[in-house]
Amino acid sequence: MASTNEWFETVAEARRRARRRLPRSVFLALEAGSEKGTTLHDNVAAFSELGLAPPRIADRPATRSMATSVLGQDISLPVIASPTGVQAVHPEGEIAVARGAAEAGTAMGLSSFASVGVEEVVAANPKTFFQLFWIGDRDRNLARVQRARDAGARALIVTLDWSFATARDWGSPAIPEAMNLQTMLRFAPEGLTRPGYVLSWLRHGRLPELRVPNMTVRGESPPSFFGVYGEWMQTPPPSWADIGWLRGQWDGPFMVKGVMRPRSVCPTTAATTWTAPRPRSGPCPRSPAPSADRSRCCWMGASGAAATWSRRWRWERGR
């Protein structure tokens, strides 16, 4: 099917359209990675490893299905929308992504650094997984988790892999902290080259701003992205005792994201965990069964995770 104004099928076409529609600074903020860009290039390479083997055409079922399940949710294909922070490059932000994921029959991962509230995202896609960074003390984190639970989030993802690498000197522009008069004057020339982009925001009655509403309880004024980021940099990493405590506060599926080495997992945690190992080739080994007295929990690494899940799904479906 040929591409149209409303339909396209490849990431390459999405990137081409974004470059054409977005102001230069907005596009480069999405395009550039940190420092040398190693993680960015590794992730692209990991996706490039994936391929589809043509099916046999004889003695096969008349209907085919890619349906599977993750974190207790049935989805139509083994792909979900990853939790990515501050998608404020579009007036609807994460709501539009959630709606698209719902139309595709899959789940939405929502970052705690999202630009819209978890309530609005769950309304667009009930199969929403809320992702949490450990910022502040236990009470602050529990308040965010409680808000996600009250909104109807189906699972909790706790991220443990992060680094505060702020060197983005090979293409990423300086990101403004607030959309004040000085900022608007600075970016006005770019806006004039992309009037459609500016008009899309004006139709929604506002301008872009970096606010993170899910970092507060509902009803409070959303803090700025950089304000919360500064607090995050000052927060000591959680202990495994903290993760165990948080697990006890959440009565649904629970994922620990960012475990890069199996030896990094606390033994008492691994005993009730099913894992997403990251082999370079061959079938994925079976994971330990989840404990009988609590909801399924899993941990996974970030780099190469998509390739691992695809391999695992392909292997288990083909057995």
Side-chain angles (χ1 to χ4, degrees):
M1 180 177 178
S3 297
T4 68
N5 288 336
E6 302 296 330
W7 177 266
F8 58 89
E9 297 184 342
T10 66
V11 174
E13 175 63 11
R15 181 178 178 277
R16 187 186 70 82
R17 295 189 183 199
R19 181 188 285 275
R20 184 178 62 191
R21 175 174 175 76
L22 298 177
R24 183 175 184 274
S25 292
V26 176
F27 178 79
L28 290 178
L30 300 174
E31 178 81 355
S34 297
E35 298 183 348
K36 187 179 178 180
T38 300
T39 301
L40 170 63
H41 296 145
D42 283 353
N43 284 337
V44 172
F47 276 102
S48 298
E49 293 179 9
L50 303 180
L52 297 176
R56 301 188 304 272
I57 60 174
D59 194 26
R60 302 297 292 172
T63 59
R64 300 180 180 90
S65 173
M66 294 190 295
T68 184
S69 64
V70 61
L71 295 176
Q73 299 301 305
D74 293 329
I75 55 178
S76 62
L77 72 164
V79 176
I80 68 172
S82 174
T84 304
V86 200
Q87 298 180 31
V89 298
H90 186 278
E92 292 187 286
E94 291 83 358
I95 297 174
V97 178
R99 188 185 304 121
E103 291 175 359
T106 192
M108 170 68 180
L110 181 68
S111 171
S112 53
F113 274 104
S115 62
V116 296
V118 60
E119 296 81 8
E120 298 172 88
V121 174
V122 172
N125 188 340
K127 296 179 180 180
T128 293
F129 307 150
F130 184 73
Q131 177 268 339
L132 179 78
F133 290 107
W134 188 271
I135 302 176
D137 58 20
R138 285 187 174 188
D139 289 342
R140 296 284 299 278
N141 286 283
L142 182 58
R144 299 178 189 123
V145 168
Q146 183 62 53
R147 175 178 176 179
R149 176 167 42 212
D150 292 344
R154 301 293 177 85
L156 183 65
I157 302 172
V158 182
T159 296
L160 296 185
D161 62 319
W162 64 73
S163 63
F164 299 109
T166 57
R168 303 185 68 181
D169 55 0
W170 61 281
S172 180
I175 299 175
E177 184 168 354
M179 188 57 72
N180 51 30
L181 180 59
Q182 181 181 1
T183 299
M184 287 189 284
L185 291 175
R186 177 184 173 188
F187 288 98
E190 292 189 33
L192 292 175
T193 66
R194 297 291 188 272
Y197 180 77
V198 177
L199 287 174
S200 68
W201 282 95
L202 295 178
R203 291 190 191 101
H204 283 77
R206 59 193 180 95
L207 292 173
E209 60 177 352
L210 293 180
R211 297 283 174 177
V212 283
N214 295 308
M215 289 297 182
T216 64
V217 297
R218 191 176 187 184
E220 290 185 358
S221 177
S224 70
F225 169 83
F226 288 103
V228 175
Y229 194 85
E231 181 184 3
W232 185 21
M233 294 179 71
Q234 301 303 316
T235 299
S239 65
W240 281 115
D242 290 324
I243 300 302
W245 167 81
L246 185 63
R247 180 67 187 95
Q249 307 301 314
W250 181 266
D251 55 2
F254 186 96
M255 173 187 286
V256 176
K257 172 188 172 292
V259 177
M260 297 302 183
R261 303 171 183 84
R263 64 177 179 272
S264 299
V265 180
C266 173
T268 57
T269 303
T272 59
T273 294
W274 62 275
T275 65
R278 299 189 293 119
R280 299 305 300 172
S281 62
C284 298
R286 279 197 172 278
S287 306
S291 60
D293 60 345
R294 61 175 23 186
S295 300
R296 173 171 287 190
C297 169
C298 71
W299 59 269
M300 67 184 298
S303 178
T308 296
W309 277 109
S310 179
R311 292 192 195 104
R312 182 188 185 92
W313 175 83
R314 184 168 52 195
W315 174 67
E316 293 191 342
R317 298 282 290 189
R319 286 186 305 149

